[in-house]
């Protein structure tokens, strides 16, 4: 039989969240390419995988792609895993996958744990549509740019616990205190927590409660404008007559009605 290459999802916290097929494949392959061999060793020891482990991470993925192709050409079976969840989802994998596709090598992906899907399965939404942006940029301007791009779509992102409050403050400033947000923390783990509320309430909650561990969050799609275009123009006119600057007007309107600041600013000028 010719060699085989597998992408294998591993747990995102609870070590029992691994499929029977993943255990079978990781038991059978000759090599497991992993982000950090120390992390995958824990899983390998728990389930008794005897395959050789080697690292394949964002800094050596290109070079490791050649190694993996050579192993496959020698008839070895290889699996790719990441530290947690599904490889290629905010994790290395993409460079390797494109090299394999270029060589016409068949890829078999074993579905399993993923923080986005675990999170979304617990979040009620009015429609199925969502945009997953991976790790949200750190820079405020870039954050707002990407959130604006998907303002009318549920926008899911990964964020570090150290930066979440700042990101939530940016959302509050841009879309107003009532913008609806969901936060999933430590999914599948002992301190798993899901919060769905206005951004203001969520900020206030995490000011009083520990914000540690791994985070996935969503800014809910803005449904429709709370005010009609005509009403908006009317409000802008009043504020203009009162002598407010375009910047102040866009800030006030966006706070009051959750309208996008840039959109209002453009209307003002
Ligand atoms: N490949 C993974 C997947 O399938 O979800 C994601 C890897 S990415 C490097 C790691 C980020 O995913 C974390 O910083 C966090 O934002 C999110 N994440 C991973 N595990 C999580 C968990 N148990 N609960 C909440 N978020 C998690």
């Amino acid at each position: 039989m010719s060699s085989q290459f597998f992408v294998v999802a591993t747990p995102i916290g609870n070590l029992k969240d691994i499929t029977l097929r993943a255990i079978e494949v990781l038991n059978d392959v000759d090599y497991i390419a992993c982000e950090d061999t120390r992390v995958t060793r824990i899983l390998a020891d728990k389930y008794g995988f005897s395959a050789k482990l080697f690292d394949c991470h964002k800094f050596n993925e290109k070079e490791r792609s050649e190694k993996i192709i050579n192993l496959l050409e020698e008839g070895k079976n290889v699996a790719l895993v990441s530290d947690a969840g599904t490889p290629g989802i905010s994790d290395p994998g993409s460079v390797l996958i494109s090299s394999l596709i270029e060589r016409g090598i068949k890829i078999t992906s074993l579905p399993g744990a993923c923080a986005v899907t675990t999170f979304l399965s617990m979040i009620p939404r009015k429609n199925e549509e969502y945009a997953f942006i991976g790790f949200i940029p750190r820079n405020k301007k870039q954050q707002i740019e990407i959130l604006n791009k998907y303002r009318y779509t549920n926008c899911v992102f990964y964020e570090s616990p150290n930066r979440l409050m700042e990101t939530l403050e940016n959302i509050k400033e841009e879309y107003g205190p009532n913008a609806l947000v969901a936060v999933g923390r430590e999914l599948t783990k002992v301190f798993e927590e899901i919060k769905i509320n206005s951004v203001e309430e969520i900020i206030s909650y995490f000011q009083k409660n520990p914000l540690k561990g791994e985070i996935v969050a969503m800014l809910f799609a803005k449904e429709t404008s709370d005010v009609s275009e005509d009403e908006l123009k009317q409000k802008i006119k009043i504020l203009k007559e009162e002598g407010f600057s375009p910047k102040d007007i866009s800030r006030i309107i966006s706070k009051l009605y959750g309208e996008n600041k840039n959109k209002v600013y453009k209307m003002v000028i």
Side-chain angles (χ1 to χ4, degrees):
M1 235 176 90
S2 60
S3 60
Q4 285 185 285
F5 174 80
F6 301 92
V7 177
V8 183
T10 57
I12 55 166
N14 188 325
L15 284 191
K16 290 183 187 160
D17 291 331
I18 185 161
T19 67
L20 294 175
R21 190 172 168 218
I23 294 174
E24 196 177 282
V25 163
L26 293 175
N27 250 316
D28 282 352
V29 291
D30 303 294
Y31 290 90
I32 301 175
C34 37
E35 247 188 302
D36 183 337
T37 52
R38 290 163 304 181
V39 174
T40 303
R41 175 67 56 207
I42 297 169
L43 199 68
D45 287 347
K46 179 166 173 68
Y47 291 102
F49 308 144
S50 56
K52 293 188 188 72
L53 308 186
F54 64 86
D55 61 356
C56 176
H57 44 68
K58 64 176 175 185
F59 301 109
N60 68 1
E61 197 180 344
K62 201 163 166 36
E63 167 206 328
R64 287 293 192 250
S65 301
E66 281 313 306
K67 172 175 171 141
I68 290 169
I69 289 166
N70 289 340
L71 288 170
L72 293 166
E73 283 172 356
E74 284 167 20
K76 306 288 189 214
N77 295 324
V78 183
L80 172 73
V81 300
S82 61
D83 282 353
T86 304
I89 307 298
S90 294
D91 263 343
S94 177
V95 173
L96 169 62
I97 297 299
S98 66
S99 305
L100 297 179
I101 290 173
E102 260 172 42
R103 304 281 185 109
I105 295 170
K106 183 175 183 307
I107 297 157
T108 304
S109 178
L110 275 57
C114 179
V116 188
T117 49
T118 307
F119 173 65
L120 283 176
S121 68
M122 292 187 272
I123 307 297
R125 284 158 287 135
K126 292 218 168 117
N127 62 47
E128 274 300 325
E129 233 177 62
Y130 70 92
F132 171 58
I133 60 174
F135 281 100
I136 192 162
R138 292 175 185 209
N139 175 282
K140 181 177 172 184
K141 189 166 168 275
Q142 289 171 354
Q143 278 188 355
I144 299 305
E145 248 168 45
I146 198 150
L147 291 173
N148 277 342
K149 185 172 163 192
Y150 299 113
R151 190 61 191 108
Y152 293 93
T153 307
N154 297 306
C155 188
V156 185
F157 56 90
Y158 289 157
E159 179 57 297
S160 118
N162 305 326
R163 288 192 297 270
L164 182 71
M165 288 301 251
E166 209 179 309
T167 300
L168 293 176
E169 289 290 353
N170 293 341
I171 290 175
K172 180 177 160 191
E173 193 184 313
E174 184 69 15
Y175 303 112
N178 296 326
L180 192 59
V181 166
V183 174
R185 192 175 73 83
E186 291 289 83
L187 303 182
T188 79
K189 305 185 202 178
V190 179
F191 296 106
E192 172 173 309
E193 184 174 48
I194 292 278
K195 287 278 150 204
I196 307 172
N197 213 327
S198 68
V199 66
E200 183 163 66
E201 289 294 330
I202 301 244
I203 291 172
S204 148
Y205 174 80
F206 283 120
Q207 275 163 350
K208 296 177 210 127
N209 294 280
L211 177 45
K212 290 186 198 148
E214 298 194 278
I215 304 285
V216 48
M218 183 173 101
L219 172 61
F220 281 76
K222 186 168 164 52
E223 283 178 30
T224 47
S225 192
D226 302 333
V227 275
S228 70
E229 196 94 342
D230 281 350
E231 259 179 282
L232 216 54
K233 281 182 187 159
Q234 186 60 24
K235 312 271 179 215
I236 290 172
K237 189 165 170 267
I238 294 168
L239 291 169
K240 258 186 171 174
E241 283 165 5
E242 290 298 317
F244 286 96
S245 70
K247 207 172 156 203
D248 281 342
I249 297 176
S250 52
R251 188 174 46 79
I252 293 166
I253 299 274
S254 87
K255 279 231 159 116
L256 285 174
Y257 303 110
E259 287 296 328
N260 175 259
K261 259 202 296 196
N262 293 337
K263 176 187 153 190
V264 180
Y265 188 82
K266 278 182 195 147
M267 285 176 80
V268 178
I269 55 168

